Amino acid sequence: MNTKVASVAINEFNSVIYSNGVRGVLLVALIAIVAIGTAQLKWVTDWGLSALTLAIIFGMILGNTLFSRIEAQTDVGVDFSKQTLLRIGIILYGFRITFQQIVGVGWTGLLIDLTMVLTTLTLALNLGTKWFKLDRQTVILIGAGSSFCGAAAILATEPVIKAEAHKVSVAVATVVVFGTVAMFLYPVVFPYLHFSEQAYGVWVGSTVHEVAQVVGAGAAISDTAANTAVIEKMLRVMMLAPFLMLLAVRGMPVKSDKTVNRGLSNNIIPWFAVLFIVTSGLNSLNWLPDALVNMIVQLDTLLLAMAMAALGLRTHIGAIKHAGAKPLLLAACLFLFLTLGGYIINLLITRLLG
């Protein structure tokens, strides 16, 4: 009798999981599709707003209005999208990158990117924890978004440090604000920089936050500037995987500002980061037809947008307000460093190796 009761209970539980999972996934998929479609509009493209940015915005709007009415019917699928689909999306992100891009920018571009990533992360950790007294989760998320590839880097870092949803949203917001400012500012100052179009592209790719913003800032000058900027940017993206693995292996104390976590995730390497490198390597071999790679990239955009939508649904405005102005001030300091410090670093390294 007990066995029958247990069997019925398990079946009912599985039924609830299945139905909630499907409904939740369909919900975030709908939000993601709307975001992807909106991102294709010209005025949205001109502003450099990516599908990922729009997905979290739409998710937050719904999450703070109507979502509470259907949360019980969709929560499993929403959390599945925020966790599992996110990891799959980061793995597939590798199909946007090839190792040949490293050769394309040369040792100068490689050294510039490496210098910018290391100095930006170091500055973020020192300013965020010592000056602004922010918790390490928020600091690392903002630092990763500024150093690597904006929202995608923040999303990839979140499962490694087990960050809370509102902290991720705050970090994404800083990327949107200052990356957009950079996208419009860089073309304006270009005539005064005494940069060639290629040098300008390297500066853009090594310092601007989002890939979409990099494209916008580069294309405003020329195709040469845009192509160089994207290649330089993709090189920064490739540096994300070693960062994630180092973050996990070192077990940095990022759990909170009051507790120390020396054995983050039991020091397990985030395998989605390893597979990110594997897919980049596979893409570098040019074994797959271009049409298939394009399909994978489109699928990846959908999965990442779904993860962002799920994150938005789980983010409450009250928690963001509670974060205060300090995260924005940290991001502003990093933006100034990326802009001015990045310009100086680009000049010095180019002259050193040129």
Side-chain angles (χ1 to χ4, degrees):
M1 183 66 178
N2 291 337
T3 303
K4 292 181 179 180
V5 172
S7 177
V8 171
I10 291 173
N11 289 335
E12 289 179 351
F13 178 75
N14 287 337
S15 177
V16 171
I17 292 292
Y18 178 77
S19 61
N20 282 10
V22 170
R23 290 170 184 166
V25 170
L26 288 176
L27 174 62
V28 297
L30 177 61
I31 298 173
I33 291 171
V34 172
I36 292 171
T38 305
Q40 305 303 314
L41 299 176
K42 185 180 185 303
W43 68 269
V44 176
T45 303
D46 291 341
W47 277 90
L49 295 175
S50 68
L52 301 188
T53 300
L54 293 172
I56 193 172
I57 292 173
F58 294 161
M60 288 176 63
I61 293 172
L62 185 60
N64 286 274
T65 53
L66 303 176
F67 181 60
S68 59
R69 302 178 185 177
I70 58 174
E71 182 175 359
Q73 291 77 40
T74 58
D75 55 353
V76 174
V78 170
D79 291 337
F80 170 80
S81 301
K82 186 166 69 75
Q83 298 169 6
T84 304
L85 293 187
L86 167 62
R87 288 167 171 81
I88 296 173
I90 296 300
I91 292 169
L92 295 181
Y93 200 87
F95 283 101
R96 303 170 189 258
I97 302 164
T98 66
F99 292 158
Q100 287 88 343
Q101 289 169 336
I102 298 178
V103 178
V105 298
W107 287 107
T108 301
L110 175 62
L111 183 57
I112 288 173
D113 267 343
L114 183 60
T115 303
M116 290 307 305
V117 165
L118 292 177
T119 52
T120 304
L121 284 173
T122 301
L123 183 62
L125 287 171
N126 282 280
L127 286 179
T129 58
K130 295 179 181 179
W131 283 25
F132 296 114
K133 306 298 181 183
L134 289 166
D135 65 275
R136 285 183 175 267
Q137 283 189 346
T138 300
V139 170
I140 289 177
L141 290 170
I142 294 175
S146 300
S147 301
F148 297 103
C149 50
I154 294 168
L155 277 176
T157 305
E158 179 267 330
V160 179
I161 65 175
K162 295 181 172 59
E164 299 170 63
H166 72 275
K167 294 178 182 178
V168 178
S169 297
V170 167
V172 171
T174 65
V175 167
V176 173
V177 171
F178 293 106
T180 302
V181 171
M183 184 186 67
F184 289 106
L185 175 64
Y186 280 38
V188 172
V189 301
F190 169 68
Y192 309 100
L193 299 177
H194 305 292
F195 268 162
S196 66
E197 292 181 355
Q198 183 173 3
Y200 169 82
V202 172
W203 180 51
V204 170
S206 63
T207 57
V208 177
H209 300 67
E210 287 271 7
V211 175
Q213 295 158 352
V214 166
V215 173
I221 301 302
S222 68
D223 289 341
T224 298
N227 293 339
T228 303
V230 169
I231 292 173
E232 184 77 1
K233 180 63 175 180
M234 289 298 100
L235 183 54
R236 276 171 75 196
V237 174
M238 293 189 70
M239 295 179 181
L240 175 62
F243 164 74
L244 296 177
M245 289 186 285
L246 180 63
L247 193 62
V249 171
R250 291 289 299 274
M252 293 180 67
V254 297
K255 194 170 184 179
S256 72
D257 55 343
K258 296 181 179 179
T259 59
V260 175
N261 180 14
R262 297 290 181 185
L264 185 76
S265 301
N266 297 320
N267 283 342
I268 297 176
I269 292 176
W271 289 107
F272 68 90
V274 178
L275 293 175
F276 167 78
I277 297 178
V278 172
T279 54
S280 299
L282 178 61
N283 193 41
S284 302
L285 297 174
N286 292 320
W287 288 350
L288 301 179
D290 290 342
L292 178 58
V293 173
N294 289 333
M295 288 178 58
I296 294 173
V297 169
Q298 295 296 325
L299 173 62
D300 180 53
T301 298
L302 175 62
L303 294 177
L304 289 177
M306 289 172 67
M308 290 291 270
L311 178 65
L313 289 172
R314 288 299 194 187
T315 300
H316 299 289
I317 296 298
I320 295 179
K321 290 180 179 178
H322 183 70
K326 290 183 178 180
L328 198 63
L329 290 174
L330 172 60
C333 291
L334 296 180
F335 167 70
L336 289 174
F337 172 73
L338 286 167
T339 305
L340 301 177
Y343 173 70
I344 295 172
I345 289 172
N346 269 259
L347 280 178
L348 291 177
I349 293 179
T350 300
R351 291 178 180 178
L352 178 66
L353 299 182

